Amino acid sequence: MPFHVMLIPTLGCPANCSYCWSSEEKSPIMSIETIKEVVEWLKTFRGDSVTFTFHGGEPLLAGAEFYREALPLLVEGLSPRRIAFAIQTNLWKMTPEIAEIFAEYGVPIGSSLDGPKELNDLQRGKGYYDKTMRGYEIAREHGLNVRFITTFTSHSVKQKEEIFNFYLEKGLTLKLHPCLPSLKDDNPERWTLAPEEYGELLIYLLDKYLENLGRIEVMNIDHLCKCVFTGHGTVCTYVDCMGDTFAVGPDGDIYPCYRFIGMPEYVMGNVYDRPSMADLAQSEAWKKMHKFKEYVDTACSKCAHIKYCRGGCPYNAIVPTSGEIEGVDPHCLAYKMIFDEINKRVNEEMFGGSDMDSMFSPSSMRPSKSGIMSLMLKKL
């Protein structure tokens, strides 16, 4: 659903991942009163259906009783509109009690795993793998759908084949993102994945996916192909997200996205004040996000991919420059590499070449060999 509200019960997290950029020790836990205020705010803020994603930090630190109360409050309080839930968690605090609550409301789980145990624990800390897999087993025993996000770093990208095979052999869906500069490390760039390496990784995964169609799902490739096919972004990285996505921190502060939680300069309002869209639009954070959109319209105007890329993620573009809009998402090069590759392969598969003129020549069409059109037509 296009309207998305991220709820951040806490920025605290029991893990200590080497490249983490979002955890905060001794962060408060969101109260049920704040959930009630979220409901009251949304009753008049926007009337369409909404997806709530619990994020963090580690959202399971809020505990079973929090979710036992919060989920029905959100569903019943915003009736009759359609409500969907999701959660991003490392699963360490998963219990049968929490799993039963999530099963009742059909909550899909996103978790984090960087590959095989030794590699994962090198990046995320000793014991991480076993704790996450224990939580995974509890979730699966209760019929919950669990998918993992893999963070590729400057170190792990060198083991991309091992990581791909790990997901293939385990029968797990692969979703990935490139490591960002850490806010906790004295050397913030140590784990960061360079844009060119990221682009090469995406092309590698496209090849491996096509070689193993029907045996694995690579979500990033699915979405990138769908972007090209539909002509617009299919995930938040590649759309103008302002106005459709918001995040609410533990104290009720409203931000453009969960990535900005805890950064006072990006607070747009607070649910206790029940701001309207017009009220949020007066905030400096809102204005900055729209300024980024305007920058993209100019800077990327001649790019063939502008309609389904939109300059990438505003957070990636704005935060490294201390809030100044000096460029688009630093991963722009990677996005161009994979979008160019997808477009080239579609033309080769369907029309026998990358020359756009050949697209209108029926005699040049040939049967698919690589199967990329099956990815573009895949229902997400």
Side-chain angles (χ1 to χ4, degrees):
M1 293 179 286
F3 186 31
H4 188 193
V5 177
M6 301 178 179
L7 300 175
I8 316 301
T10 180
L11 286 177
C13 181
N16 188 31
C17 300
S18 300
Y19 49 75
C20 184
W21 49 270
S22 65
S23 66
E24 184 178 292
E25 292 184 11
K26 299 180 181 178
S27 173
I29 302 289
M30 181 180 285
S31 68
I32 287 298
E33 186 60 37
T34 298
I35 293 293
K36 292 177 181 177
E37 290 298 327
V38 168
V39 170
E40 294 304 316
W41 168 52
L42 292 179
K43 281 181 179 178
T44 56
F45 180 74
R46 182 167 167 170
D48 45 351
S49 299
V50 57
T51 298
F52 290 102
T53 297
F54 294 93
H55 216 297
E58 175 44 59
L60 291 188
L61 287 174
E65 196 55 38
F66 173 83
Y67 290 101
R68 191 186 306 281
E69 293 186 57
L71 300 186
L73 278 171
L74 292 164
V75 170
E76 296 164 13
L78 295 172
S79 178
R81 71 179 87 179
R82 190 158 62 99
I83 303 298
F85 295 109
I87 189 168
Q88 182 66 31
T89 165
N90 62 26
L91 288 170
W92 291 15
K93 298 295 182 179
M94 176 58 71
T95 64
E97 184 179 9
I98 293 175
E100 288 174 6
I101 297 168
F102 287 174
E104 181 180 352
Y105 287 89
V107 182
I109 296 174
S111 191
S112 298
L113 208 60
D114 288 355
K117 181 176 178 178
E118 183 177 350
L119 172 61
N120 179 86
D121 286 6
L122 172 68
Q123 297 190 162
R124 290 186 171 269
K126 187 176 180 180
Y128 187 108
Y129 182 93
D130 289 339
K131 292 176 184 177
T132 293
M133 293 309 289
R134 277 198 295 271
Y136 171 74
E137 293 301 328
I138 293 172
R140 295 294 295 157
E141 286 168 4
H142 288 79
L144 295 172
N145 180 20
V146 183
R147 292 178 172 179
F148 293 99
I149 294 178
T150 291
T151 298
F152 275 86
T153 68
S154 57
H155 172 75
S156 66
V157 73
K158 298 176 179 63
Q159 301 177 54
K160 57 183 180 289
E161 183 174 5
E162 182 182 354
I163 294 171
F164 181 86
N165 289 337
F166 168 80
Y167 276 88
L168 183 65
E169 292 163 8
K170 290 282 188 181
L172 299 172
T173 296
L174 175 59
K175 184 179 180 183
L176 65 136
H177 65 68
C179 183
L180 298 167
S182 172
L183 298 181
K184 293 170 56 178
D185 201 311
D186 293 335
N187 181 10
E189 302 290 338
R190 180 162 65 106
W191 297 95
T192 304
L193 188 63
E196 186 171 4
E197 286 185 302
Y198 183 33
E200 291 169 352
L201 171 65
L202 291 171
I203 293 171
Y204 168 83
L205 290 174
L206 174 61
D207 285 333
K208 297 297 289 185
Y209 196 5
L210 292 172
E211 289 172 13
N212 293 276
L213 281 178
R215 299 180 61 204
I216 191 172
E217 181 179 3
V218 184
M219 291 182 68
N220 300 66
I221 302 302
D222 283 339
H223 284 291
L224 289 163
C225 288
K226 192 64 74 174
C227 283
V228 173
F229 182 71
T230 63
H232 61 80
T234 57
V235 290
C236 64
T237 302
Y238 309 116
V239 297
D240 294 321
C241 54
M242 199 62 198
D244 289 325
T245 298
F246 297 95
V248 179
D251 57 359
D253 280 341
I254 303 167
Y255 299 81
C257 172
Y258 81 97
R259 288 184 164 186
F260 295 101
I261 297 286
M263 303 172 72
E265 63 271 33
Y266 290 97
V267 174
M268 299 188 295
N270 191 288
V271 296
Y272 284 83
D273 300 323
R274 300 176 194 172
S276 65
M277 193 78 81
D279 293 330
L280 297 184
Q282 297 303 309
S283 68
E284 291 303 313
W286 179 290
K287 293 175 183 176
K288 185 169 292 186
M289 295 289 284
H290 275 272
K291 187 177 178 182
F292 175 77
K293 176 182 179 295
E294 293 167 359
Y295 178 89
V296 169
D297 288 337
T298 301
C300 305
S301 61
K302 296 182 180 180
C303 179
H305 311 302
I306 184 173
K307 289 184 179 179
Y308 48 81
C309 177
R310 297 303 304 153
C313 175
Y315 174 92
N316 291 353
I318 296 171
V319 172
T321 56
S322 301
E324 297 300 319
I325 299 175
E326 299 176 356
V328 296
D329 186 330
H331 294 124
C332 172
L333 174 61
Y335 305 151
K336 284 183 177 179
M337 289 171 67
I338 187 61
F339 282 136
D340 283 346
E341 188 69 20
I342 291 170
N343 275 284
K344 183 187 76 171
R345 293 190 187 200
V346 169
N347 282 317
E348 289 176 347
E349 182 175 317
M350 296 299 295
F351 308 108
S354 57
D355 184 355
M356 291 298 290
D357 291 338
S358 69
M359 292 180 66
F360 302 99
S361 174
S363 63
S364 68
M365 294 185 69
R366 66 181 183 181
S368 165
K369 291 184 178 180
S370 65
I372 197 168
M373 281 303 298
S374 64
L375 297 181
M376 301 186 88
L377 296 170
K378 182 180 177 182
K379 184 177 180 180
L380 300 183

